[in-house]
Amino acid sequence: YNPSFMAGLPTLPVLGCNNSWFIFETPESMFLRHRSLENRRDWRKTLELERRILRKADGLVVTNRDFADIAAAELGYTGPVVDEPNGINERIFHALELFTDQVPWPGENDAVNLVYVGNMQHGKGVQELLAAMRLLPERLRLKIIGGGKATLNEVDELITGIPRGRQRVTLTGHIPQGQIREYCAGAHISIIPQQESGGYFSPLKLNESLALGLPIVCTPLKVFERRKELVHQSEDCTPEALSKAILELAGNPEAVARLRARGIEEAIRRTWNSRASRILDFAQGL
C-alpha cells in the first residue's frame, strides 16, 4: 500500500459518510521493510505516516498476527484487531487424492514425495531443506515449486551434494498459481522450512497446503504457534530436526490421516467468502 496516500486521506465523516468506520487492512509494516532493505525511502518518514494512518483507524485487519504486535509496540495502535490471512481460492486449491487405491500412502520401501512451494531466498529454509535431504533415505524425493534466480547456483550446488540428488530433487521454477495444484499432484507431504531470519511469512502458503489435503512438516516458529494442531513441527530449524520430523510423519499414516482431515476442515473456513464474512462481522461489532 502507499502510506503517503493513506495518511493523507480525510476521515470518512468529512467525506460525507455518517455512522461510518475506517477499517485498515495491511499484511505488513512498510517502515520495517524500508528499514531493512537498501535504497529504500527514509524509514522514519514511513513510520510516522503509518502512525498517522492508525490514529485514524477504528479497526485493524492483519493478515499476519505478528503485525498486530508491531502495530501496538511500534505504531501506538490500541484499537480492535482481527487476524485474517488472505483467503484460499477453492477453485484452485482443493483436496488432492490420497489414501485411495490409486494413491495409497507409501509403505516402508516406497518412494515418499515431498513438496515445497515458495521462493528460494535465504531464510525461507530451502537451503536447510536440501541439507536435510542429504540425511534422508534415498526413497525420499523433493519437488521445489518456485523461483529465485539469486540463489539458483547455490541451490544447484547443494543438490549436487545430495546422494542421487539429480534424480531425487526437481526444480520447477516459477509456476502460475492456477497450475500449482497440478504440480503438487502425487505429493505426500508439504514442507514449510521457514527460518527465524526469513522475515514475513504469509499464512496463505500454509492454508493452501491444508486445502490440498497435504500433511505439513514445518519449523517451530511463532507464526505457526496458533496452528500447532494442524501441522507436524520439527524440534528446531536445523536440517537434522527437519529430516527427523519428515521421517516421523512419513512413517505414521494414522497421524497423516488425522492432519489431512483437520486441514481440509480448516481450509473450508479460510476461503475468501468466509474471510469476508468474518471481517464484516468484525466491522459491525465496532
Side-chain angles (χ1 to χ4, degrees), residues 40-286:
R40 291 283 185 169
R41 63 186 299 168
D42 183 2
W43 65 266
R44 295 175 186 82
K45 182 177 179 181
T46 306
L47 172 63
E48 181 52 35
L49 289 172
E50 291 193 299
R51 285 174 174 166
R52 285 170 57 190
I53 294 168
L54 292 188
R55 281 198 293 268
K56 297 178 180 181
D58 298 296
L60 180 64
V61 180
V62 298
T63 59
N64 186 323
R65 190 69 198 182
D66 288 349
F67 181 74
D69 298 335
I70 293 167
E74 304 279 1
L75 304 175
Y77 180 74
T78 58
V81 180
V82 63
D83 175 14
E84 285 293 341
N86 288 337
I88 301 166
N89 185 340
E90 67 268 37
R91 290 176 294 181
I92 297 175
F93 295 94
H94 50 277
L96 293 162
E97 191 173 1
L98 195 59
F99 288 108
T100 65
D101 291 340
Q102 290 72 30
V103 189
W105 188 255
E108 290 184 3
N109 299 313
D110 297 328
V112 179
N113 299 321
L114 313 176
V115 64
Y116 166 83
V117 181
N119 67 57
M120 296 188 292
Q121 71 185 49
H122 282 280
K124 296 303 180 184
V126 172
Q127 289 78 10
E128 288 77 9
L129 177 55
L130 288 171
M133 287 294 292
R134 296 182 62 180
L135 306 173
L136 289 167
E138 292 188 8
R139 68 189 185 96
L140 277 89
R141 304 167 182 172
L142 172 64
K143 181 184 290 186
I144 297 175
I145 301 174
K149 292 182 180 178
T151 56
L152 189 56
N153 290 338
E154 179 186 3
V155 166
D156 190 66
E157 186 175 332
L158 288 170
I159 292 172
T160 302
I162 298 170
R164 297 184 64 246
R166 298 295 176 196
Q167 291 74 45
R168 295 172 59 200
V169 180
T170 302
L171 302 177
T172 70
H174 172 74
I175 298 298
Q177 187 185 48
Q179 298 178 26
I180 289 177
R181 183 179 185 274
E182 173 189 345
Y183 274 76
C184 287
H188 299 112
I189 302 175
S190 174
I191 313 297
I192 304 179
Q194 181 86 0
Q195 302 289 299
E196 289 282 5
S197 60
Y200 175 72
F201 174 81
S202 170
L204 180 59
K205 297 293 185 185
L206 185 147
N207 289 339
E208 288 173 348
S209 287
L210 296 178
L212 291 174
L214 292 175
I216 297 168
V217 169
C218 69
T219 47
L221 301 187
K222 181 181 177 182
V223 69
F224 303 124
E225 184 67 27
R226 299 170 68 228
R227 308 292 182 87
K228 288 178 69 171
E229 76 283 359
L230 301 173
V231 299
H232 184 67
Q233 290 185 308
S234 57
E235 293 178 0
D236 54 50
C237 296
T238 63
E240 291 77 12
L242 279 169
S243 62
K244 178 183 176 184
I246 290 167
L247 285 177
E248 288 171 348
L249 197 57
N252 193 340
E254 293 80 12
V256 168
R258 289 194 298 272
L259 289 176
R260 174 178 165 86
R262 290 174 190 166
I264 293 171
E265 182 180 357
E266 175 68 14
I268 294 171
R269 296 193 289 269
R270 296 296 170 183
T271 64
W272 282 111
N273 285 338
S274 298
R275 180 182 192 269
S277 178
R278 287 191 295 273
I279 291 175
L280 285 174
D281 289 343
F282 170 70
Q284 291 168 355
L286 295 175

